[in-house]
Amino acid sequence: MGMYTMTRLIGRRMAARREGTIVNVSSLMGKVAAPTMASYSATKFGIVGFTQALRGELARENIRVIALLPSLTDTDMARGLQLFRWVLPMTPQQVAKVLVSKLEKNSSEILVGWQSHLAVWCQRFFPSLLEKVLRIAAPLSRSKGFGERENRQQATEKDFRE
């Protein structure tokens, strides 16, 4: 509800000025769902859908609405998680640099990193292949089911120790 509330408040001010740009931060997981990430993916898909709908609603007010979709970013939140095999974390500086460069190009969705572009391309043209690769790359075994619990538990334990 925080993103919705803030966007509504800021959007009203921008509409009164008849200009502005809103960038909603989602994730690659808002385009490509992965094993062990069901809840996270659901919230990120929600942000992408909200952003797409809002883009249409605010276009007549001359307000751009953009979804930023970074892949794994080296942040405090990510440091406590088991990572997917072959995923290379990006730095926050890399994400920011891509955001600034794409803002100038009038993009409606900004994918960050070559792995994001590859994953979305595979999702579109070879979804079953991507699904198999994601299952192999997932940090937890398939037998665990709803494996997010282990990732969440590890992050919580790490926070507790610190």
Side-chain angles (χ1 to χ4, degrees), residues 24-154:
N24 289 331
V25 180
S26 180
S27 165
L28 172 61
M29 295 292 114
K31 286 287 197 182
V32 176
T36 77
M37 302 295 290
S39 296
Y40 185 78
S41 291
T43 61
K44 299 308 176 182
F45 268 81
I47 292 170
V48 171
F50 173 69
T51 302
Q52 289 172 350
L54 197 60
R55 183 178 307 122
E57 292 175 17
L58 296 178
R60 67 180 179 270
E61 305 293 339
N62 194 35
I63 299 171
R64 294 172 54 201
V65 184
I66 300 164
L68 178 64
L69 305 156
S71 60
L72 180 67
T73 306
D74 186 16
T75 63
D76 289 342
M77 183 185 103
R79 287 186 197 117
L81 301 177
Q82 283 186 320
L83 303 182
F84 280 65
R85 289 172 203 75
W86 314 302
V87 173
L88 304 172
M90 303 189 69
T91 67
Q93 294 80 5
Q94 289 171 309
V95 175
K97 185 176 179 179
V98 171
L99 171 62
V100 169
S101 71
K102 296 287 183 163
L103 280 173
E104 296 169 357
K105 294 183 171 131
N106 207 21
S107 303
S108 60
E109 289 185 350
I110 300 172
L111 289 167
V112 182
W114 67 269
Q115 291 177 317
S116 295
H117 289 277
L118 179 61
V120 169
W121 184 83
C122 285
Q123 177 73 29
R124 179 172 291 156
F125 297 108
F126 304 103
S128 58
L129 174 63
L130 179 63
E131 199 171 293
K132 288 176 186 171
V133 169
L134 288 172
R135 265 190 254 128
I136 293 167
L140 304 172
S141 71
R142 287 188 293 264
S143 63
K144 294 254 181 198
F146 289 88
E148 290 177 88
R149 287 176 286 165
E150 188 168 315
N151 262 341
R152 191 170 44 245
Q153 182 179 358
Q154 285 178 347

